Amino acid sequence: MSTSRTRGTVRGLPEWDRCAVMGVVNVTPDSFSDGGRWFDTTVAVKHGLHLMSEGADLVDVGGESTRPGASRVDEAEELRRVIPVVKGLASEGVTVSVDTMRARVAEQAVAAGAVLVNDVSGGLADPDMIPAVAAAEVPFVVMHWRGFSESMNSRAVYGDVVAEVIDELRQRMEAVIAGGVAPERVVIDPGLGFAKDAAHDLKLVAHLTELHALGRPLLVAASRKRFLGHVLTGPGAAAPPPARERDAATAAVSALAAQAGAWAVRVHEVRATADAVRVARAVEGAA
Ligand code: PMM
């Protein structure tokens, strides 16, 4: 059962009395889950505000698709996509996180009002990232990552996925803290779908409480991912349901994650998850 103690707090961010909801705005033409829909700045800002009105606590803005097989976008283009959206949302009072593997993008997003850096590579993709986050004195999401999208499926090889993800996250946390990021600002994330197959993702969701051994708040991002498509594929079905038909399944994982003491869940469709984390909080209060 989760408590505010296992959920933890992150220095520099508001304190929520339940699992927080991070809404996703992907300013990309090719994200696997909502590809192209929020590619225009005005539309993206509007979408972020809509997610807040549906119950999001913060909004994660990204300009580079990390879907399996995706190739990288260049830095100038990523900046062009992300910065005006961060600025627009922050100026409306939204708590904004920036989803980037690049130090320059993180720095400029923080200057534009972002208060959290979410790096799916945990600081591995850009050697300037850790010093940049340390200097900016903002919270940092350290996700479990084994390599860029082009090659990550071939890295999905584990003896014991839970133990190895915890070990590798611990090493990244140590590197990030040694690089000057305050431990109180670190958030950890098992990186569902990143160098993991459906069975690995399910095993991690089943063992989320073990990640509390790392002693830092836990972010869980299951939204619309392949493993949910896999779970939802009925016997004899030709193909898994498309990403946008995985929101009810996503909300189910949100409830499970909240009950396991997650600090936040990252989702594309906020409404159902906002309800799920509130139910989890009410159940926790009744225990
Ligand atoms: N997954 C995606 C993008 N950013 N950030 C974190 N911290 N954890 C994740 O699992 C994660 C992420 C995948 O792409 P999407 O935006 O289309 O879901």
Side-chain angles (χ1 to χ4, degrees), residues 146 157-166 200 203 210:
R146 283 184 166 180
V157 181
Y158 301 86
D160 177 339
V161 66
V162 177
E164 286 169 52
V165 165
I166 290 174
H200 297 136
K203 182 71 92 179
E210 291 174 37

Side-chain angles (χ1 to χ4, degrees), residues 26 31-33 66 99 118 120 143 189 194 221 225 266 268:
N26 282 322
S31 169
F32 88 96
S33 51
T66 50
D99 185 343
N118 173 25
V120 298
M143 199 192 82
D189 180 335
F194 286 80
K225 284 191 173 162
R266 177 185 179 279
H268 300 87

